[in-house]
Amino acid sequence: MADQPQPTPTQPAHVPLNRQRLIAPGPVEVEPRVLAQLAQPQMHHRAPEGVAKLMQARAQLSELLDAPGYESVIVTGSGTAAFEGALVSLVPGGAKVVSAQAGKFSERWGEMAGRFGYDTHLVSRPWGEVLDPQEVADAARDAHTLLVTHSETSTGALHDLQAITAAAKARNPDLIVIADCITSYGVAELRPDAWGVDVIVSGSQKGTATPPGLGLLLFSPEVQERLIPNTPRGFYLDMQRELKGQKAGNTPQTPAINLIYALSASLERLLSVPREVLWAEKRRQNDALLAAGTAIGARPWASRTSPAVAVLCPPEGLGGRAVAAQLAAMGQRALPGQAPHEDTVFRVSNMGYADRYDALAIAGVMEDAFEALGVTFTRGAGVAAAWEALKG
Ligand SMILES: *Cc1c(COP(=O)(O)O)cnc(C)c1O
């Protein structure tokens, strides 16, 4: 939109902005103690300490979800690499793959399956909506694998992974469910064992509050046996080979060992409270952001919201890009929407190393941004609404 207002600096020129607070849905703020792991003298992945650290991080990954039978694999690469590894290491060439999608990231998995030449079928819903479990189950009744996204970061929707998996497996017990949990792992309630999800995929720079560079996977006991050699799998992303090596503390290739130290330190913090407490608090923090935005004229896009990110449609006449640019001018790295909906929404997140007082601060910054952009609202209403939501 050409007539959108330009961002105005709101801090006096003589006060240097000493930070870009990351309030984008990844990468997120990282605890200094976690960053300090990266400043150690270079460690070696084959040294006993390096092997032990990999084993520790792998155990922490399944512990966070209370999924002891699940074996984890840590891939050097982003979340997308991990997803690709799961896909190509489990699905034989030409097999039927169903991609359930309602946003940018879930669409990526359908595109990926198509590129690998799978018999790819899409179950699509408009962005902002949630998937219908029965519709997905029906499409996947004779499929080999279902690709589904739990927390759709482009729209702020939390799909009902439990209901989708239950409905799909009731129709097709042999179905493999690969779930993109990139922004739900460590943030939203996620019980792969109880829900029957075969593969959980995540990335280090989202809910696990670590710098980018690691893809995280958890494989159910049953699906570990289905990592088969006759797939179009790559060499680097051969999950059968990785799992075999990592179970013994070794990776076939050089891993980003420094990041594994950082990941383990971050998981230690996440594991210091019961997982239910962590999930409930992240939910309240995100509800606070949604409530703040709503109180000052924005509205949530998704009908069923994810606790990972507040995706808000700005007030009438204002675009998501202008809001994100204004926030950036104020030292806050938020994001607009994703193509083709860049201007429909802006996205702010309290994932990562951020607590409820960060949520309150973001509520205050949103007020300042809206005021700078000429929105009319009751000053203080956003912060008050956030505060109220935090009591919840
Ligand atoms: C960030 C994100 C991805 C992509 O992960 P990368 O680490 O950038 O590869 C995929 N899905 C969701 C839901 C995400 O939020």
Side-chain angles (χ1 to χ4, degrees):
M1 284 189 235
D3 58 349
Q4 287 298 310
Q6 293 304 303
T8 7
T10 53
Q11 307 214 28
H14 59 276
V15 179
L17 288 183
N18 60 358
R19 70 178 306 176
Q20 270 286 316
R21 184 205 303 263
L22 294 179
I23 60 170
V28 298
E29 289 288 330
V30 178
E31 183 185 5
R33 205 176 56 88
V34 171
L35 289 172
Q37 295 292 321
L38 303 174
Q40 296 185 71
Q42 182 59 47
M43 49 288 273
H44 199 285
H45 60 290
R46 307 278 184 228
E49 315 81 77
V51 170
K53 190 53 76 174
L54 173 67
M55 294 303 273
Q56 184 188 5
R58 291 185 57 246
Q60 288 169 313
L61 284 169
S62 37
E63 193 187 339
L64 190 63
L65 299 183
D66 191 22
Y70 281 60
E71 287 284 349
S72 57
V73 167
I74 300 174
V75 169
T76 298
S78 73
T80 304
F83 202 97
E84 186 165 323
L87 182 70
V88 302
S89 301
L90 281 166
V91 188
K96 177 172 175 180
V97 172
V98 169
S99 173
Q101 45 194 52
K104 191 72 179 179
F105 291 110
S106 41
E107 286 176 3
R108 175 181 291 183
W109 311 135
E111 195 188 328
M112 184 186 273
R115 282 235 201 148
F116 282 106
Y118 293 120
D119 176 19
T120 307
H121 296 251
L122 312 179
V123 184
S124 302
R125 282 267 158 180
W127 288 37
E129 288 186 14
V130 286
L131 297 161
D132 172 25
Q134 290 307 329
E135 189 186 350
V136 176
D138 194 43
R141 66 191 177 281
D142 57 352
H144 181 278
T145 292
L146 170 65
L147 311 180
V148 61
T149 297
H150 189 198
S151 164
E152 178 51 80
T153 319
S154 62
T155 69
L158 186 75
H159 296 289
D160 192 343
L161 181 60
Q162 180 180 16
I164 292 168
T165 306
K169 290 213 167 177
R171 294 289 295 276
N172 179 357
D174 288 336
L175 184 72
I176 292 177
V177 177
I178 301 178
D180 169 351
C181 298
I182 294 183
T183 52
S184 62
Y185 179 84
V187 181
E189 180 180 8
L190 177 56
R191 304 184 189 276
D193 208 355
W195 297 356
V197 184
D198 298 290
V199 186
I200 302 289
V201 178
S202 193
S204 55
Q205 80 281 21
K206 309 272 175 108
T208 45
T210 304
L214 297 178
L216 315 172
L217 296 119
L218 286 131
F219 293 99
S220 72
E222 301 75 37
V223 94
Q224 286 164 36
E225 305 301 319
R226 294 178 72 180
L227 289 164
I228 43 173
N230 62 334
T231 70
R233 65 187 182 178
F235 186 86
Y236 191 75
L237 294 175
D238 177 342
M239 293 298 108
Q240 191 183 45
R241 194 161 136 264
E242 278 295 343
L243 180 56
K244 187 163 175 272
Q246 293 197 17
K247 270 176 144 175
N250 287 307
T251 52
Q253 296 84 221
T254 309
I257 185 68
N258 311 44
L259 285 173
I260 293 172
Y261 273 77
L263 174 69
S264 178
S266 190
L267 287 168
E268 195 181 308
R269 178 177 63 85
L270 297 175
L271 284 163
S272 67
V273 292
R275 56 189 72 77
E276 288 77 13
V277 171
L278 177 70
W279 295 337
E281 179 59 12
K282 279 293 159 194
R283 162 63 71 190
R284 278 190 291 268
Q285 288 171 23
N286 195 69
D287 282 350
L289 301 180
L290 291 169
T294 304
I296 62 174
R299 72 180 167 78
W301 197 12
S303 48
R304 186 177 191 271
T305 55
S306 162
V309 55
V311 178
L312 291 154
C313 304
E316 200 59 37
L318 207 54
R321 274 183 292 223
V323 176
Q326 181 61 50
L327 287 166
M330 295 162 57
Q332 315 295 317
R333 178 58 57 199
L335 288 175
Q338 285 171 281
H341 296 287
E342 295 101 314
D343 228 21
T344 309
V345 291
F346 65 99
R347 298 180 294 152
V348 293
S349 171
N350 216 44
M351 256 190 300
Y353 187 56
D355 69 11
R356 48 175 48 205
Y357 298 107
D358 292 289
L360 276 182
I362 298 167
V365 173
M366 278 200 278
E367 288 202 18
D368 277 355
F370 276 27
E371 184 167 79
L373 290 165
V375 180
T376 313
F377 61 94
T378 309
R379 208 52 192 159
V383 174
W387 222 321
E388 201 56 37
L390 287 170
K391 288 186 200 156

